[in-house]
Amino acid sequence: QVHLVELGGGLVQRGGSLTLSCAPSGSVFSINSMGWYRHTPGKQRDLVAGIVRDSDTYFADSVKGRFTISRDNARNVTYLQMNNLQPEDTAVYYCNAALKLSLSDRPERYWGQGTQVTVSS
């Protein structure tokens, strides 16, 4: 069973940077799209950034100019570079991907296990 593996969360001070990575745990045929969501207690899980292929990207207004998303297609890894982090960015970050496990499969959505990002003031 393939799942998504996230790395890179942690504790950082205001204004600091972190890079999150997300990759399938096993072999996949293709990754159609990848997104990063975040969740804080009492709020819904919100889309922060997304990437389709290599050039179609989306960023929530709250992170524009501070976060970037990129893909290493050779390694099937997607990165979320987070700069100038603020306390309000504190959340559990989840990656979500539409994966095709083989040529004949339809794309299906998978979630990572979540990684905690904490920004201290």
Side-chain angles (χ1 to χ4, degrees):
Q1 180 76 15
V2 172
H3 58 276
L4 297 176
V5 179
E6 301 167 6
L7 297 173
L11 173 65
V12 66
Q13 291 186 333
R14 179 197 299 262
S17 298
L18 283 174
T19 301
L20 307 182
S21 67
C22 179
S25 60
S27 177
V28 299
F29 178 76
S30 67
I31 301 176
N32 288 23
S33 63
M34 177 75 78
W36 286 95
Y37 292 72
R38 65 187 180 189
H39 179 252
T40 56
K43 297 183 179 180
Q44 66 181 16
R45 189 176 295 189
D46 290 326
L47 178 63
V48 174
I51 185 167
V52 179
R53 295 176 288 278
D54 292 329
S55 58
D56 296 336
T57 58
Y58 163 84
F59 296 96
D61 288 343
S62 58
V63 306
K64 282 180 181 176
R66 300 187 298 123
F67 290 12
T68 58
I69 188 169
S70 61
R71 288 174 59 167
D72 181 340
N73 291 322
R75 298 172 58 208
N76 278 340
V77 180
T78 300
Y79 299 96
L80 183 68
Q81 174 68 43
M82 305 183 293
N83 297 324
N84 191 22
L85 283 161
Q86 302 298 313
E88 53 266 33
D89 295 316
T90 295
V92 178
Y93 284 71
Y94 298 88
C95 66
N96 175 273
L99 305 179
K100 287 187 64 173
L101 301 187
S102 70
L103 177 61
S104 60
D105 286 335
R106 297 172 59 184
E108 291 188 14
R109 290 247 166 229
Y110 291 77
W111 287 96
Q113 79 281 4
T115 184
Q116 177 71 46
V117 171
T118 303
V119 185
S120 66
S121 56

